[in-house]
Amino acid sequence: MTTNKEACDIYCYDPEKVARIQAHLAPVEARETAQLFKVLADETRYKIAYALNVEGELCGCDLANIIGSSTATVSHHLRILRNTGAVTYRREGKLVFYELTSSRLQQLLGGNNPQAKGEPLHV
């Protein structure tokens, strides 16, 4: 008989701990947060979201230069971010500016504008 060293040998649980965590878990929007983790799982989208979190609002051309990518690639990833509700945009003449709309995403990225706290930008 083989035993799994990574699992309990018997089934038991602490009802007080379970109830306490379940009470905190219920208000958390787990589905939205999981979706945001999926969106951020792509390196390019993470860099875009992080840059927007630091600066607040950027045009697609700025984002392309920041992450060292083409505007077409940035556009593709911005479309995905828009479709998930993570970013919004506004047009000003010939330029389109993007910003994060999800406060949950801002929290996942370390709050709003880490540069103001003197933290280095690592993208």
Side-chain angles (χ1 to χ4, degrees):
M1 179 173 143
T2 61
T3 60
N4 183 350
K5 295 182 184 198
E6 298 175 5
C8 297
D9 292 333
I10 61 169
Y11 177 77
C12 69
Y13 67 97
D14 184 332
E16 290 177 23
K17 284 182 185 178
V18 170
R20 186 173 58 247
I21 298 300
Q22 284 177 335
H24 289 284
L25 187 60
V28 174
E29 298 165 358
R31 182 167 286 136
E32 177 190 343
T33 303
Q35 182 63 33
L36 290 173
F37 275 118
K38 288 179 187 178
V39 167
L40 291 178
D42 179 86
E43 182 180 352
T44 301
R45 287 192 294 274
Y46 172 81
K47 288 177 179 181
I48 290 169
Y50 192 89
L52 290 171
N53 193 49
V54 169
E55 191 60 32
E57 183 180 70
L58 291 165
C59 79
C61 300
D62 288 335
L63 286 164
N65 281 283
I66 289 167
I67 67 169
S69 185
S70 70
T71 55
T73 297
V74 167
S75 268
H76 167 75
H77 289 286
L78 283 167
R79 188 175 318 110
I80 293 169
L81 289 165
R82 268 193 343 263
N83 290 342
T84 62
V87 300
T88 188
Y89 71 95
R90 68 176 179 84
R91 179 174 281 281
E92 188 175 302
K94 294 183 179 187
L95 299 175
V96 179
F97 292 90
Y98 294 86
E99 69 178 323
L100 293 178
T101 57
S102 170
S103 60
R104 173 89 59 212
L105 182 55
Q106 290 173 352
Q107 289 173 339
L108 292 174
L109 292 167
N112 197 13
N113 197 351
Q115 282 299 100
K117 300 172 189 164
E119 298 175 21
L121 177 61
H122 297 286
V123 291

